[in-house]
Amino acid sequence: MPRALLSAAKEGASELELSAAAYQKILSSGSSLPASTMNLVTGERSCFALGGPTERKMKRGDTGLVELGGAYKRYTSTLGRQWSIGQPAARLRDLHKIVLEASDAAMAEMKAGAPAIKAHEALKGVIARAGLDHCRQHTSGYGMAPGFPPSWGEPTNMFGGTKDVLQAGMVMTVEPAIFIKEEGLGVRLIDNCIITDSGIELLSVTPRDIAVVD
């Protein structure tokens, strides 16, 4: 999927074209339709936490981010990644670094028997120390389960106030995000991992760096 989407990402390409390229690859590879639709936003729309693809055409200097899933027998694997048309701006790189550090902090707290709130607080702490807690997405991740529209998740959550406890064999998302409406800019990473007795097994293999499209 990432390669298919990025092969379509260029100056003048619409969000719909990028989405079509990704869906074509997902479905032709044997996936059924995921329970939730693709979130794909670019440019000034990247400050939206949720947003379907539109006719907006990408311009040089734009960033884009996508949240999508592939499904097999209703079980979904999700992924969220960022790209840039041309070299990323310094601000985008700085925000992406914060989000990456937040993801790593959450994963370091995840193992069988750990309270789910510990991973959430670790992720939140990284973003808060950067002075951006007011721009943080409320959830740090959730459990993946057999999905039926409109959701591919289950009620196990890593967010404020949760009493959930992580157990071996659970599949969890980790998805730190920063959305700054005033700047028309957002950054998000989404990875899936399996909880083990000693930590996590990362399922996502796509690099987490900002993909640069020339």
Side-chain angles (χ1 to χ4, degrees), residues 10-208:
K10 59 184 178 182
E11 231 178 323
S14 73
E15 294 174 346
L16 287 170
E17 290 177 273
L18 272 61
S19 177
Y23 268 129
Q24 196 281 332
K25 183 63 175 177
I26 289 169
L27 298 179
S28 66
S29 298
S31 171
S32 57
L33 281 172
S36 294
T37 56
M38 185 182 302
N39 289 307
L40 192 154
V41 289
T42 65
E44 66 278 1
R45 297 186 71 240
S46 69
C47 69
F48 298 148
L50 300 172
T54 69
E55 295 179 351
R56 184 190 185 277
K57 297 183 184 297
M58 293 202 73
K59 300 175 289 188
R60 182 148 294 272
D62 275 352
T63 189
L65 56 101
V66 66
E67 176 190 19
L68 49 72
Y72 178 71
K73 294 184 177 180
R74 294 281 180 190
Y75 285 91
T76 300
S77 174
T78 61
L79 187 72
R81 290 295 185 266
Q82 194 102 14
W83 69 92
S84 174
I85 304 295
Q87 289 300 313
R91 178 61 165 166
L92 179 62
R93 288 191 183 278
D94 289 344
L95 293 175
H96 187 270
K97 181 180 178 183
I98 295 166
V99 166
L100 184 59
E101 290 177 357
S103 179
D104 289 341
M107 290 182 190
E109 297 293 339
M110 296 169 68
K111 63 180 180 179
I117 200 167
K118 288 188 67 177
H120 167 72
E121 290 176 342
L123 184 154
K124 177 182 176 179
V126 172
I127 295 175
R129 287 191 291 274
L132 292 167
D133 193 50
H134 63 293
C135 302
R136 176 182 53 84
Q137 183 172 263
H138 74 283
T139 182
S140 298
Y142 51 85
M144 302 298 295
F148 294 86
S151 175
W152 50 43
E154 67 178 2
T156 303
N157 284 289
M158 300 189 299
F159 55 34
T162 183
K163 303 296 185 183
D164 294 334
V165 176
L166 302 179
Q167 302 295 341
M170 285 182 172
V171 177
M172 301 291 296
T173 71
V174 179
E175 43 187 84
I178 297 170
F179 299 107
I180 309 176
K181 181 180 178 181
E182 295 77 11
E183 298 183 31
L185 185 60
V187 177
R188 173 165 53 198
L189 286 173
I190 300 175
D191 290 286
N192 292 175
C193 55
I194 299 176
I195 303 300
T196 72
D197 289 334
S198 58
I200 59 110
E201 177 186 347
L202 184 63
L203 298 177
S204 312
V205 297
T206 305
R208 294 189 290 165

